[in-house]
Amino acid sequence: MGLLIWLVIGGVVGWLASIVMRTDAQQGIFLNIIVGIVGAFIGGLLFGGNINSGVITPTTFLVSLVGAIILLAIVNLVRRGAVR
């Protein structure tokens, strides 16, 4: 069940982060899921709380979203030299 939650929530979080960072047209569902999962991990490290605890709350969802946005900002900075 945990893997399914990672995939679904990771996809949604990655998709929302890509919309915020304006990279939605450049990545598909697979990259959205990866960005969401890695973003949840980054957000959990920086702010505490993540979707791995098994309970999805608005706070853990927001932490995951912020982590995914930070990840996309770092990727944009490395690839383009600007955050956008």
Side-chain angles (χ1 to χ4, degrees):
M1 188 67 169
L3 179 63
L4 183 63
I5 290 173
W6 273 20
L7 293 175
V8 171
I9 299 299
V12 171
V13 167
W15 174 66
L16 290 174
S18 67
I19 289 173
V20 170
M21 294 300 292
R22 296 185 208 126
T23 60
D24 191 39
Q26 299 169 358
Q27 53 191 59
I29 186 70
F30 181 72
L31 271 176
N32 281 339
I33 292 171
I34 298 298
V35 166
I37 292 172
V38 174
F41 179 72
I42 291 171
L45 287 176
L46 294 176
F47 305 111
N50 57 25
I51 61 174
N52 296 330
S53 63
V55 178
I56 300 170
T57 64
T59 304
T60 58
F61 189 83
L62 186 62
V63 165
S64 301
L65 180 62
V66 170
I69 290 170
I70 290 171
L71 174 64
L72 287 176
I74 291 170
V75 169
N76 282 341
L77 186 63
V78 170
R79 287 177 55 194
R80 295 187 182 95
V83 174
R84 229 191 228 209

